[in-house]
């Protein structure tokens, strides 16, 4: 292994930013706590678990279902 390397002519990976996109979302505390507990049980980071769950929803075409009671 060299003592130092010259990265002055290196280029950024053009595909790196296509892999993931950083976003800010607001989640309820109980949701975060659920995934953090699951992370401790599985040894997988909670952010990755949330991403895997959402990806599963995308792949299987799951859609949320909502029902509100209408005022009389």
């Amino acid at each position: 292994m060299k003592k130092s390397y010259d990265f002055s002519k290196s280029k950024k990976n053009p595909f790196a930013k296509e892999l993931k996109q950083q976003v800010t979302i607001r989640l309820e505390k109980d949701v975060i706590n659920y995934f953090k507990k699951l992370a401790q049980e599985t040894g997988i980071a909670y952010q990755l678990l949330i991403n895997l769950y959402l990806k599963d929803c995308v792949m299987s075409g799951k859609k949320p279902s909502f029902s509100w009671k209408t005022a009389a």
Side-chain angles (χ1 to χ4, degrees):
M1 197 169 205
K2 295 180 182 179
K3 287 186 177 183
S4 65
Y5 293 88
D6 181 15
F7 293 105
S8 62
K9 296 180 184 177
S10 64
K11 296 179 184 177
K12 286 187 173 184
N13 182 345
F15 304 105
K17 62 179 144 182
E18 299 295 324
L19 298 176
K20 291 190 177 183
Q21 178 179 350
Q22 183 175 348
V23 297
T24 301
I25 60 173
R26 296 187 181 277
L27 301 173
E28 294 178 9
K29 287 183 179 183
D30 59 338
V31 172
I32 296 293
N33 290 336
Y34 172 81
F35 280 100
K36 283 186 174 183
K37 183 179 177 192
L38 191 59
Q40 288 178 337
E41 294 172 10
T42 61
I44 301 171
Y46 78 96
Q47 297 97 328
L48 181 55
L49 288 172
I50 294 170
N51 188 62
L52 289 170
Y53 180 76
L54 293 174
K55 183 133 187 157
D56 182 57
C57 291
V58 170
M59 300 300 286
S60 64
K62 285 183 192 173
K63 295 181 180 178
S65 60
F66 302 101
S67 62
W68 287 277
K69 292 183 180 181
T70 57

